[in-house]
Amino acid sequence: MNSFVKDMIALQEVYDQLQTRGYKNKDLAAHLEMFPSAFSTLINKVVKPIVKRSKESSVNEQFLTDLFTQVSNISEVKLKRRLSDYLKVLEGLLKQGSDHQQAPQSNFIEELIRSTPYDTLKVLEGMYDCYYLSTFGYRIKKEPFLLKFNAKENRYQVFKGNERGPARYSGFAYVSNPQLLTMQLTEAGTMLTDHFMAHFILPPTYSTTVNLLKGIAVSISNALLPASRKIILEKISDKTDLTTFNEQPTVFFEKEQGDDNPIVAYLRSHVSVLEYIPIPHPNYDRNDLKKEELVKNIQ
């Protein structure tokens, strides 16, 4: 194991300890005089893959060449030159002996948004068909979905459904870990607001064409109880203009419809929804679980 890989392992260990003390990426980036996005790339796209590879096999030059080819804001030459200094700075923070003041929880999501690697997510921009089992009639639903970058606000916006459909949602997206894209949306134009959250699996690198995303969504059902569903996004266009998006229809597939569509067939042949069943006169204790089983068996 060469010294560069050893330093990478040491950097990972120091970073993990600093996180347990409450340090955020933006704070550590400032101490290292790096941009937050570059520091995020360093940890998630360089350090973690190298540490993982070192546990499985040797880290050779070809692996490093391929790795650094995939990142645009970290130079292999500069990193090797500055790595020992980075370690000294971070180890110095550990030796201070006191926990770093935790940032307010309300800033947690904003930090994830700021550290999202926007340039590498460009391949995901575009218009999609969004499929999932709707709790409104328990039919497979296909509705328009849009993911676009808002340069003014420096974040990715998401839109689910439009004025032609029964419900409209809007919100934002961010990378919550290197292989997870998270979206948070709020329903518009309703008295009782539904908050919709979805997590989608991302490929190991963003250099490939991504035409389909699989994920899990959580929102409320018609009974105003939490419902979790499989959700699939299929890309239909690279266009991101709202005019074209608002022209797309929402489709509900009846039982005899859509079996020639592989996505509809998949959602029908798998358990696609997990939800709680409303019960009469809940006590909010363990007895409610027995009541729910009775209601379920009656249905």
Side-chain angles (χ1 to χ4, degrees):
M1 185 181 298
N2 60 43
S3 60
F4 178 68
V5 175
K6 289 181 179 179
D7 286 345
M8 286 284 103
I9 296 173
L11 185 61
Q12 175 75 68
E13 293 174 350
V14 174
Y15 172 76
D16 290 342
Q17 292 181 61
L18 288 171
Q19 278 207 314
T20 63
R21 294 192 179 187
Y23 281 91
K24 301 299 182 183
N25 279 3
K26 65 175 182 179
D27 302 323
L28 299 177
H31 282 288
L32 299 181
E33 298 182 353
M34 297 177 66
F35 289 111
S37 58
F39 181 76
S40 178
T41 298
L42 171 63
I43 296 299
N44 295 315
K45 299 297 182 181
V46 178
V47 177
K48 290 183 178 180
I50 290 176
V51 172
K52 180 180 179 181
R53 177 61 177 253
S54 68
K55 295 177 181 179
E56 299 170 350
S57 60
S58 62
V59 179
N60 54 37
E61 288 301 323
Q62 185 59 52
F63 175 81
L64 294 176
T65 299
D66 294 341
L67 183 70
F68 283 97
T69 300
Q70 297 171 19
V71 298
S72 59
N73 53 353
I74 294 291
S75 164
E76 180 180 3
V77 175
K78 291 182 179 179
L79 177 59
K80 288 182 175 180
R81 187 168 63 242
R82 299 174 181 174
L83 184 55
S84 60
D85 292 332
Y86 290 164
L87 268 173
K88 289 178 182 178
V89 171
L90 297 183
E91 288 171 347
L93 293 177
L94 275 180
K95 293 177 181 178
Q96 290 179 3
S98 58
D99 285 359
H100 183 67
Q101 181 65 37
Q102 286 275 9
Q105 190 66 24
S106 60
N107 291 335
F108 175 66
I109 300 300
E110 284 296 329
E111 172 59 27
L112 288 174
I113 294 172
R114 284 194 296 267
S115 61
T116 290
Y118 297 118
D119 291 341
T120 55
L121 285 182
K122 286 182 179 179
V123 69
L124 297 179
E125 280 194 278
M127 202 174 308
Y128 295 79
D129 281 333
C130 176
Y131 293 85
Y132 59 91
L133 181 66
S134 172
T135 54
F136 184 73
Y138 294 90
R139 298 168 293 174
I140 302 297
K141 181 181 182 180
K142 181 183 78 172
E143 63 183 341
F145 196 99
L146 184 67
L147 174 65
K148 64 178 297 186
F149 184 67
N150 185 322
K152 184 177 180 180
E153 296 185 8
N154 196 36
R155 66 183 61 193
Y156 272 93
Q157 288 183 299
V158 287
F159 301 89
K160 173 181 169 291
N162 56 27
E163 295 180 354
R164 296 186 60 185
R168 294 182 293 114
Y169 291 76
S170 63
F172 52 89
Y174 54 88
V175 174
S176 44
N177 74 43
Q179 288 184 252
L180 197 66
L181 178 67
T182 297
M183 301 179 182
Q184 293 185 220
L185 303 95
T186 303
E187 189 175 9
T190 59
M191 292 292 291
L192 183 63
T193 301
D194 179 22
H195 297 284
F196 190 98
M197 175 177 280
H199 300 282
F200 292 94
I201 302 168
L202 292 173
T205 67
Y206 305 101
S207 58
T208 59
T209 300
V210 181
N211 291 322
L212 188 140
L213 292 172
K214 297 190 300 181
I216 297 293
V218 179
S219 64
I220 62 171
S221 66
N222 296 318
L224 304 184
L225 290 168
S228 177
R229 289 162 277 192
K230 287 185 177 181
I231 181 172
I232 296 177
L233 297 181
E234 183 179 38
K235 197 170 192 178
I236 59 173
S237 173
D238 291 327
K239 293 182 179 180
T240 59
D241 63 286
L242 288 172
T243 300
T244 305
F245 169 76
N246 285 319
E247 293 173 352
Q248 306 305 307
T250 293
V251 178
F252 286 92
F253 293 93
E254 303 299 337
K255 289 184 178 180
E256 66 278 7
Q257 297 177 324
D259 285 333
D260 57 337
N261 184 317
I263 299 177
V264 175
Y266 169 83
L267 291 174
R268 280 185 177 152
S269 62
H270 291 73
V271 177
S272 297
V273 62
L274 173 66
E275 64 177 331
Y276 291 99
I277 298 174
I279 60 174
H281 311 297
N283 296 318
Y284 298 95
D285 59 21
R286 293 183 178 184
N287 290 321
D288 289 353
L289 304 179
K290 297 179 181 179
K291 289 182 181 179
E292 186 172 345
E293 281 297 315
L294 291 173
V295 174
K296 181 179 180 181
N297 292 332
I298 292 174
Q299 293 180 340

